[in-house]
Amino acid sequence: MARRKIVAGNWKMNMTPSEAVKLVAELKDLVVSDSVDVVYCVPAIDIVPVVEAVKGTNVQVGAENLYIEDKGAYTGEISADMLVDAGVKYVVIGHSERREYFGETDEFLNKKVKKAIEKGLTPILCCGETLEQREMGVTMDWIRLQIKSDLAGVAAADVANLVIAYEPIWAIGTGKTATSDQAQEVCKGIRDCIAEMYDAATAEAVRIQYGGSVNAGNAAELFAKPDIDGGLVGGASLKADFGKIVNY
Ligand code: PGA
């Protein structure tokens, strides 16, 4: 069965609640699609108003983070139950910005993936290499290590439902997109890794996005590749271009 494409916006730390509602209204008619899943991954404080604003549309809402415990003395954190209760369906886990600026390790991210799945959220699990790693020729070794550690102990049926985002760090927010061949090569490598860890059916089912300076001009070529099932879009998700990316 053909995998359904999924295009997700990663708003990062942008958009106040009132700006968020305005943006959803601006994009409303542009992101309509029968054939693509559309997700807005938004800052925690925007979740409630954005869930309300997308009601009755084809857009689903994702969070940018969650915590690994269910409740208690974890000042400042947000639990999976809170996200689910607010209407969130997806959660970004392991973005390179969280790995780099907030010291999130693969061991910690593995716990986040398991918590999200336990609560019925779909993880958008991010992985990606630095420019140095690419130049040293260890890209695939690094990505495989991330995938294997982040998914350790996760069942095949759950992996089949998750979304993996391949985001080369050197391409994020830099305007420097990986070529469609570079992106396809790694996305296929991730699928092969899943096949080795699980089986061919799981690898065939898991959706793998490319992220890193995706824009209205390069989305069509990237998403046409056989192992690229859509994109995780940062900067271009905050403007009308996002509609062009969804309807590439
Ligand atoms: P970008 O960000 O599209 O602005 O490069 C992508 C991401 O970090 O998910």
Side-chain angles (χ1 to χ4, degrees):
M1 233 185 60
R3 289 180 299 273
R4 196 173 154 85
K5 294 266 198 263
I6 175 165
V7 177
N10 175 14
W11 289 10
K12 310 194 180 188
M13 198 176 74
N14 295 295
M15 299 288 136
T16 65
S18 51
E19 288 169 346
V21 170
K22 239 180 97 196
L23 178 64
V24 171
E26 279 164 21
L27 293 178
K28 192 172 175 206
D29 297 329
L30 307 175
V31 297
V32 175
S33 171
D34 289 336
S35 49
V36 176
D37 288 340
V38 183
V39 185
Y40 295 160
C41 298
V42 307
I45 199 164
D46 296 340
I47 287 171
V48 170
V50 169
V51 166
E52 187 59 35
V54 301
K55 271 197 183 135
T57 75
N58 56 314
V59 176
Q60 294 199 300
V61 178
E64 296 180 14
N65 193 17
L66 85 171
Y67 193 56
I68 57 172
E69 299 293 344
D70 285 342
K71 58 161 65 177
Y74 304 100
T75 303
E77 293 299 323
I78 295 189
S79 73
D81 288 328
M82 293 171 187
L83 298 177
V84 170
D85 188 62
V88 167
K89 304 289 182 204
Y90 293 84
V91 57
V92 179
I93 295 176
H95 192 280
S96 59
E97 287 150 19
R98 293 217 60 88
R99 292 177 188 262
E100 183 182 348
Y101 306 139
F102 303 98
E104 296 196 1
T105 63
D106 287 307
E107 193 190 354
F108 185 50
L109 296 171
N110 177 242
K111 291 183 180 150
K112 289 191 174 191
V113 168
K114 287 176 170 162
K115 182 54 72 180
I117 291 169
E118 177 197 326
K119 301 292 183 176
L121 293 164
T122 300
I124 299 177
L125 173 64
C126 304
C127 59
E129 82 287 4
T130 62
L131 188 58
E132 292 71 31
Q133 288 170 323
R134 177 159 283 270
E135 285 170 350
M136 285 189 291
V138 299
T139 295
M140 215 49 238
D141 301 297
W142 176 251
I143 304 277
R144 288 170 59 89
L145 183 67
Q146 289 186 318
I147 295 294
K148 286 187 172 182
S149 325
D150 299 346
L151 295 182
V154 178
D158 295 322
V159 172
N161 284 324
L162 69 76
V163 178
I164 297 174
Y166 165 54
E167 299 204 308
I169 295 169
W170 48 271
I172 295 177
T174 56
K176 228 174 124 180
T177 321
T179 65
S180 56
D181 287 338
Q182 284 173 325
Q184 161 61 21
E185 185 184 15
V186 178
C187 290
K188 176 165 191 317
I190 293 170
R191 206 175 297 288
D192 291 344
C193 179
I194 298 291
E196 283 166 38
M197 290 171 70
Y198 298 93
D199 50 59
T202 305
E204 204 43 49
V206 67
R207 294 190 289 179
I208 305 176
Q209 298 174 313
Y210 167 78
S213 299
V214 173
N215 60 44
N218 59 28
E221 188 185 332
L222 286 160
F223 300 173
K225 291 291 179 184
D227 288 292
I228 302 180
D229 306 314
L232 183 58
V233 184
S237 70
L238 301 171
K239 43 189 187 182
D241 272 15
F242 191 64
K244 295 196 189 125
I245 297 171
V246 166
N247 289 294
Y248 68 97

